[in-house]
Amino acid sequence: MRWTDDAIVLNTQPHGEGALIVQLLTHERGRHAGLVRGGQSPRLRALYQAGNCIQATWTGRLAEHLGTYQGEFLASHAARLMDEPKQLLALSAATAVIERALPEREPHPACYEGMLVLLDALEGDHWAEVYVSWELAVLADLGFALGLDSCAANPDWQETPNDQLAYVSPKTGRAVSLSAGEPYHERLLVLPGFLLGRGKGGDEEVGQGLALSGYFLERHVFHPQDRQLPDARRRLSELFITR
């Protein structure tokens, strides 16, 4: 069997004396692993660097086999972020989240397209806000979308300047208004305004957004696998903790 698909490199692991096992996020086939013979050579290590976009050709006798990869370079992102440690950490966090969150060989084209948007955004001014929105989109694609368009505690709620959506219920994943949530706000997650189009975000709101998306990633995706958030993802959150 043989197929060719556009892909984003997620991770590599040495295999034997000179090969690599490469995890890719492909456009049509989701997260998919394969063996790269000679992958530990300097040339191929540079090609299969996490965050690189490649055209991958997979070959295997049967679909369920590991198979082998050959790749052609399309675009590099990690190399362009070498002087931006925060963005480079966000790239590491994103690839680790996708590698652990997506079932292997299950198509998730929306996750692939969203990852491309994030990779481009990492070179812009509002990369952190885009990252938070990207994690929420990953949750939605996995079937765990948050309900951020109305107040869960008051079906008749209508937005006013003094009563906007301000919290998210950790039980239901639905938004709660300022008035409805104030009596028990300590038990709710903060809903940053930039996720609703109110303002441009900033470090404090990004920290709130990472806490929000991280909570539901752990609850719905990682805890059922007896896993925690990846180390890179936890370190990314620490960058935005207000002291």
Side-chain angles (χ1 to χ4, degrees), residues 100-101 139 144 214-230 234:
R100 294 191 185 185
L139 278 165
F144 306 112
Y215 174 86
F216 287 103
L217 279 171
E218 286 193 311
R219 176 184 175 185
H220 293 305
V221 179
F222 295 122
H223 283 173
Q225 302 178 34
D226 196 26
R227 288 181 167 183
Q228 296 180 333
L229 283 174
R234 292 201 298 270

Side-chain angles (χ1 to χ4, degrees), residues 175-196:
V176 180
S177 68
L178 186 64
S179 61
E182 187 58 31
Y184 47 96
H185 68 275
E186 291 183 356
R187 288 178 284 171
L188 300 174
L189 298 163
V190 176
L191 175 57
F194 77 89
L195 289 175
L196 302 176

